[in-house]
Amino acid sequence: MEIIVIIGLIILLVIYLLAQDSKKDTARERYGEAVGQLAQITADKISSIANTITEPKDKKIIRLAEEDLASRNGQLYRFDHYSNKDYLKRLLTIDEQFKKTLNTLELSENKWDTIAHKLLYIGTIRQLSRDPSDYSKKKEKFIRENMINDWINDPILKDDIQMLYTALNYFGIDISEWVEYGDTVIEMHNLYDDPDIRKYGIITSIKPMKNNRHLL
């Protein structure tokens, strides 16, 4: 009986937490959405467990390798601690475990290194073009101009802009073009139109966030 009560309290807590993230207008709508989300999460989890149990060993090995690749790619794509050069170096380092991942997927170390840098730089262009309070919105042109004009005197912004210059130079994009168009330059220069990116540029999704960073 005590176990049932504890489980019930946990479920209520989860529903409460999910409701807090809801953008619905009324409490009834928020909790209704939360119950629906919990039901979907539960169904997905049950389905995942069932698939795991019945999954052939060879397919499991590939799936785990793809998940490891997507995790590393995602960390590089969303990397924004530009002053932390040691951490970035670790993300770009191919250790023994990640080497096994690449071998499983028949992806060469050199090819992944190229993919990794492209994802890092595309992510840099995307993130620094967006409003950090709401990543679904672009920074206005005057803000991008101020970033370029003021970065030398701003120690925090300095690391950001130096990485931005590196990213744009990698793809042969002039900084003036970024100031004018922001991250639209990604589509203008077809940076995603790369067969290796399409095949191996998978990235993990992240939990929905109020600042919409998960939409990047």
Side-chain angles (χ1 to χ4, degrees):
M1 185 65 180
E2 291 181 358
I3 295 176
I4 295 175
V5 172
I6 292 172
I7 293 174
L9 290 174
I10 292 173
I11 291 174
L12 290 175
L13 176 61
V14 171
I15 291 174
Y16 171 78
L17 293 174
L18 289 172
Q20 303 314 300
D21 290 332
S22 174
K23 295 183 180 179
K24 297 292 185 179
D25 294 328
T26 67
R28 183 175 181 178
E29 288 176 321
R30 289 194 294 272
Y31 280 97
E33 183 181 52
V35 171
Q37 287 179 339
L38 179 59
Q40 184 62 55
I41 291 171
T42 303
D44 291 344
K45 194 65 178 178
I46 292 172
S47 176
S48 176
I49 292 172
N51 289 335
T52 300
I53 293 173
T54 59
E55 185 178 30
K57 184 177 180 180
D58 56 340
K59 288 188 177 180
K60 180 179 180 179
I61 291 173
I62 293 174
R63 175 178 62 80
L64 292 175
E66 289 177 340
E67 289 176 0
D68 190 29
L69 175 66
S71 176
R72 183 72 70 92
N73 286 350
Q75 291 177 76
L76 284 164
Y77 177 74
R78 298 188 181 94
F79 182 80
D80 60 357
H81 301 292
Y82 303 117
S83 62
N84 195 339
K85 303 295 191 296
D86 289 337
Y87 179 47
L88 178 57
K89 184 178 180 180
R90 287 200 299 273
L91 290 178
L92 291 168
T93 297
I94 300 175
D95 56 22
E96 288 302 315
Q97 177 56 46
F98 196 61
K99 188 180 294 185
K100 292 179 181 178
T101 290
L102 298 181
N103 289 338
T104 298
L105 299 175
E106 299 181 346
L107 176 58
S108 73
E109 294 182 27
N110 286 338
K111 181 175 287 188
W112 178 77
D113 184 74
T114 299
I115 293 168
H117 279 87
K118 287 181 179 179
L119 290 174
L120 169 66
Y121 294 146
I122 291 173
T124 295
I125 296 170
R126 187 73 79 191
Q127 290 183 88
L128 293 181
S129 302
R130 297 281 165 161
D131 182 348
S133 65
D134 184 353
Y135 282 96
S136 68
K137 298 178 181 179
K138 276 187 170 187
K139 289 174 178 171
E140 295 187 42
K141 181 181 176 181
F142 79 90
I143 295 178
R144 297 195 295 272
E145 287 178 325
N146 288 341
M147 288 171 65
I148 298 305
N149 293 332
D150 299 340
W151 67 272
I152 294 179
N153 301 316
D154 186 328
I156 297 177
L157 188 58
K158 184 176 181 179
D159 290 314
D160 293 358
I161 299 305
Q162 285 179 334
M163 179 61 86
L164 178 64
Y165 269 104
T166 300
L168 293 171
N169 288 337
Y170 183 89
F171 295 113
I173 302 172
D174 193 89
I175 191 69
S176 62
E177 195 172 353
W178 178 80
V179 169
E180 184 67 29
Y181 301 108
D183 59 352
T184 301
V185 298
I186 294 174
E187 285 70 38
M188 291 169 62
H189 290 267
N190 301 311
L191 301 189
Y192 286 119
D193 189 17
D194 180 311
D196 290 332
I197 290 287
R198 288 197 295 269
K199 186 174 182 179
Y200 297 111
I202 52 176
I203 62 174
T204 50
S205 58
I206 59 175
K207 178 183 175 182
M209 304 172 71
K210 290 184 177 180
N211 65 0
N212 286 317
R213 192 163 184 261
H214 62 287
L215 297 178
L216 289 178

